[in-house]
Amino acid sequence: LAGSERLKNTKSEGQTLRETGSINKSLFTLGKVISSLCDRKSTKAPYRDSKLTQLLMDSIGGTSLTMMLACISPSSGHIQESLRTLDYANRAKNVQNKPVVLLDPHQTMLEALRKEIDVLRAENRALKEALQTSNPDLYASLDLTPRSLLRSSQP
């Protein structure tokens, strides 16, 4: 994302002037969204005021994991811009996202079934150990291999 464009320094004309204006408007709107998300009293962030903020809706205060990178100049001639950039980044740092992993419904079902299988295997192991310790003779006489169990359950 480009930085705030100063018309005086860029000497933009024509199409470039309109693009510079659009960049500044989008960055201003992004700043308003960040400020409203940091302000506890604000109820809604103005995401719809700019195409940029509409595109970044999930990234800013949404369900995505977001990183802000602020580039500043070491030059003393750009100290004011660097301070404004750091202030902007500090406000953005205060926005709290709630990252969520979005999975395919089939993936979610597979994960749930795998967890259930693990639970059932642990339960089966515990029952085998309990049977073996309580009645070792009965346990030794039983054929508890998976194949034998499958054969006995089929009609």
Side-chain angles (χ1 to χ4, degrees):
L1 185 62
S4 178
E5 302 294 329
R6 292 183 158 257
L7 294 176
K8 186 171 74 175
N9 294 346
T10 60
K11 298 180 179 101
S12 301
E13 296 176 358
Q15 178 67 25
T16 310
L17 178 65
R18 285 189 292 280
E19 288 175 4
T20 302
S22 292
I23 289 170
N24 285 338
K25 179 184 177 227
S26 294
L27 289 173
F28 177 72
T29 305
L30 182 60
K32 283 185 356 186
V33 167
I34 289 171
S35 293
S36 70
L37 290 172
C38 292
D39 183 20
R40 307 254 183 223
K41 297 173 189 169
S42 180
T43 56
K44 274 187 117 176
Y47 289 112
R48 293 186 179 173
D49 292 355
S50 163
K51 287 181 183 178
L52 175 68
T53 53
Q54 286 177 359
L55 289 171
L56 295 175
M57 190 181 304
D58 280 339
S59 300
I60 308 167
T63 58
S64 298
L65 190 59
T66 306
M67 182 175 78
M68 170 91 173
L69 180 66
C71 297
I72 59 173
S73 173
S75 169
S76 61
H78 298 287
I79 190 92
Q80 289 302 320
E81 288 180 25
S82 295
L83 289 173
R84 280 196 304 270
T85 300
L86 290 173
D87 180 51
Y88 195 86
N90 189 45
R91 282 186 289 138
K93 179 183 76 171
N94 294 327
V95 174
Q96 297 294 315
N97 284 9
K98 295 177 182 103
V100 175
V101 177
L102 300 175
L103 294 176
D104 178 34
H106 297 291
Q107 249 342 80
T108 306
M109 183 185 285
L110 281 174
E111 283 298 316
L113 290 172
R114 285 186 180 121
K115 286 179 183 176
E116 186 176 351
I117 287 170
D118 289 341
V119 167
L120 290 172
R121 283 183 176 154
E123 183 182 347
N124 191 15
R125 228 178 287 115
L127 289 172
K128 279 183 181 180
E129 288 173 6
L131 180 62
Q132 187 176 17
T133 55
S134 66
N135 196 341
D137 294 333
L138 176 62
Y139 181 79
S141 68
L142 295 176
D143 184 11
L144 296 176
T145 60
R147 285 193 182 135
S148 69
L149 294 174
L150 284 175
R151 273 187 264 126
S152 64
S153 65
Q154 293 176 352

